[in-house]
Amino acid sequence: MITVSKVLSQGHGLAPVLLKRAATVELDWDVRQKSRFEATDSQGRQLGVFLPRGTVVRGGDVLVAEDGSLVRVLAAPQPVLVVTPCKEHGSPFDLTRAAYHLGNRHVQIELKPDHLKIEPDHVLAQMLRAMHLDVEEANAPFEPEGGAYSAGGQAHSHGHDHHGHGPGHDHGHEHGHEHHGHDHGHHHDH
């Protein structure tokens, strides 16, 4: 068995040719959120994976074995429910509302601009249908949204800080405020 204790997010820093040649391993979401698991790669090798606690492996990540070999992770298709707005009288906002209600129940959700994916759950499916959403069973890779501590979360807060800096941003805000006052006066005179 080959020990793996390192994962490179999306194969970061590796040459594309190395990624093309790498063995692959198909893992479903249940396994990809464990920090310790066993798997067999596309070359038939047994992998013993020991990652830092709390590590979540995504499709496209690359496992680095102790012998230096690389194994590219593929998100295995698995049973999921695909949630879309009703075609007749739905709107994209219905998805936002659904994501909010699911998030309140701490359900893992894959968020896309035009659909949500969740793991099969009869009760949730009924709730979503009652909210006029279409719920279809499918077999597809499942990549739920990361938590606040995922790399995505860090990138987001960095972007947010950046946006808050700069006199331009503040100036725009003050200007908007004065403008609003002017409008208000104008309406009042009228």
Side-chain angles (χ1 to χ4, degrees):
M1 180 175 288
I2 301 166
T3 305
V4 174
S5 54
K6 191 175 169 195
V7 61
L8 292 175
S9 178
Q10 301 301 295
H12 193 65
L14 294 173
V17 63
L18 286 177
L19 290 176
K20 269 205 191 88
R21 262 194 245 140
T24 56
V25 62
E26 264 200 313
L27 306 171
D28 68 15
W29 172 241
D30 262 2
V31 174
R32 295 201 316 278
Q33 53 185 323
K34 291 184 176 133
S35 42
R36 285 163 174 60
F37 58 87
E38 289 182 14
T40 307
D41 74 11
S42 56
Q43 295 170 5
R45 300 179 307 175
Q46 279 293 110
L47 309 176
V49 181
F50 302 91
L51 300 172
R53 282 203 181 286
T55 303
V56 170
V57 180
R58 298 284 180 182
D61 287 355
V62 176
L63 300 173
V64 183
E66 63 184 351
D67 65 0
S69 61
L70 305 173
V71 183
R72 196 157 43 88
V73 175
L74 306 174
Q78 62 184 81
V80 288
L81 296 178
V82 179
V83 184
T84 51
C86 166
K87 287 170 191 64
E88 284 165 39
H89 51 75
S91 79
F93 177 69
D94 295 340
L95 277 188
T96 307
R97 202 170 68 226
Y100 171 80
H101 285 289
L102 292 167
N104 262 350
R105 289 167 171 75
H106 301 288
V107 174
Q108 299 270 7
I109 320 172
E110 180 175 335
L111 300 173
K112 292 288 185 221
D114 61 346
H115 69 270
L116 307 174
K117 271 189 219 149
I118 60 171
E119 291 178 289
D121 183 306
H122 180 64
V123 175
L124 293 175
Q126 272 187 324
M127 175 188 86
L128 292 163
R129 287 185 179 119
M131 290 164 63
H132 299 297
L133 287 148
D134 286 335
V135 182
E136 297 289 328
E137 291 179 18
N139 217 37
F142 184 51
E143 290 285 9
E145 192 70 4
Y149 300 106
S150 68
Q154 286 161 7
H156 174 74
S157 59
H158 175 75
H160 185 71
D161 293 346
H162 182 71
H163 182 67
H165 289 178
H169 180 71
D170 297 341
H171 176 74
H173 182 74
E174 284 161 20
H175 179 75
H177 188 71
E178 287 159 20
H179 182 71
H180 177 73
H182 176 75
D183 275 352
H184 181 73
H186 179 74
H187 289 309
H188 186 70
D189 297 342
H190 188 72

